[in-house]
Amino acid sequence: MVKIISEPIQIAGVISLVSSPQAGALDVFLGVTRADSQGREVLYLEYETYEQMALREMTRLETEAREKFKLLGSAMVHRIGRVDIGEASVAIAVSSAHRNEAFAACRFLIDQLKKTVPIWKREFFADGSIEWSGESPQKRTEQVR
Amino acid sequence: MKIKLLLFSSAADLAGFREQEIERDDLKVAGNILGYLTSLNTEFDKWAPYLRVAVNSSYVDTNHQLSDGDEVAVIPPVSGG
């Protein structure tokens, strides 16, 4: 089950999506927004997405994880729009018979999501500046300096 | 070739639009989109190594053949999570 929503993520609801009588382990990962980005104070974040493709990529990752880690259930929910500091921007939940597969699958899903799913984060800083997160030619130049 | 072009994040900022229907003879493969964008704003030249192209919601190589009616999206480095 994959979802992109613009309201706060309800964790209990995400957990209920993956519950299974065969499960001996249920893992949840929450990505939450942090108040600083490389030493600069962040007020809030905004996420945008190419929704149709993001849902397709998330579904592809879920299918891969279910096979690879023999999952009983999986759910990925990403929030878009404004997300205040300390709130969850993404929730991943998986269930499996034993804990090793659940831990590994949770990690696999968040790592892959951050590499391929078309979602972008914009940081609104306390100093008034606004920047897209992620690699850019400008950031590369700054690192070289 | 007639396609629907979608831009996101920093690519939309650089171009000044998010969506455009375009019809051009010089669009044959996915990579040609980057040339078109550079003709609008030369900054796209620096961005080229960072941008990926998706056709009809799947990532493609720059030599992927375009077809009439394709939805072509320019995907800057993603930063979800």
Side-chain angles (χ1 to χ4, degrees):
Chain A
M1 162 74 72
V2 302
K3 280 188 197 171
I4 291 177
I5 60 172
S6 44
E7 310 81 44
I9 296 173
Q10 303 295 333
I11 311 302
V14 179
I15 291 173
S16 69
L17 291 172
V18 304
S19 299
S20 159
Q22 282 80 41
L26 194 160
D27 260 43
V28 179
F29 171 83
L30 295 181
V32 295
T33 51
R34 201 173 42 222
D36 83 274
S37 177
Q38 283 152 6
R40 296 164 66 198
E41 188 189 349
V42 177
L43 298 179
Y44 62 94
L45 303 178
E46 257 182 30
Y47 289 85
E48 75 162 42
T49 185
Y50 176 15
E51 183 164 353
Q52 178 187 317
M53 180 173 171
L55 290 171
R56 194 167 155 161
E57 271 300 301
M58 287 159 78
T59 302
R60 186 183 66 75
L61 294 175
E62 247 194 15
T63 304
E64 191 179 340
R66 278 177 183 247
E67 282 175 23
K68 191 170 172 161
F69 301 102
K70 299 183 174 55
L71 299 180
L72 295 163
S74 61
M76 304 174 87
V77 180
H78 207 296
R79 185 173 167 190
I80 55 159
R82 175 174 169 150
V83 181
D84 287 325
I85 301 304
E87 294 186 342
S89 51
V90 61
I92 291 173
V94 298
S95 60
S96 59
H98 302 286
R99 69 183 181 285
N100 283 346
E101 289 77 12
F103 277 124
C106 234
R107 170 147 211 154
F108 169 83
L109 286 171
I110 185 63
D111 286 352
Q112 294 302 312
L113 178 146
K114 288 171 93 76
K115 282 182 201 158
T116 72
V117 177
I119 296 175
W120 298 272
K121 169 166 54 190
R122 198 154 51 148
E123 294 170 313
F124 290 73
F125 290 97
D127 65 12
S129 56
I130 303 168
E131 289 172 21
W132 289 106
S133 188
E135 276 203 310
S136 71
Q138 289 83 4
K139 280 177 194 161
R140 181 57 58 87
T141 313
E142 282 160 20
Q143 280 162 12
V144 171
R145 268 181 212 145
Chain B
M1 187 70 62
K2 191 175 179 182
I3 61 149
K4 182 176 172 185
L5 176 61
L6 301 180
L7 301 177
F8 296 93
S9 177
S10 36
D13 290 352
L14 285 177
F17 63 89
R18 305 177 62 82
E19 193 174 325
Q20 196 178 60
E21 303 272 348
I22 48 176
E23 186 164 11
R24 292 172 66 96
D25 294 336
D26 60 356
L27 292 180
K28 299 210 162 29
V29 295
N32 293 151
I33 285 295
L34 300 177
Y36 169 65
L37 291 172
T38 302
S39 75
L40 302 178
N41 181 344
T42 53
E43 280 290 304
F44 272 107
D45 198 32
K46 279 184 228 160
W47 272 86
Y50 298 88
L51 301 175
R52 296 171 77 183
V53 178
V55 173
N56 301 326
S57 296
S58 293
Y59 288 112
V60 296
D61 291 330
T62 49
N63 58 9
H64 174 91
Q65 294 283 330
L66 296 176
S67 303
D68 270 325
D70 276 348
E71 183 172 282
V72 181
V74 174
I75 312 284
V78 300
S79 53

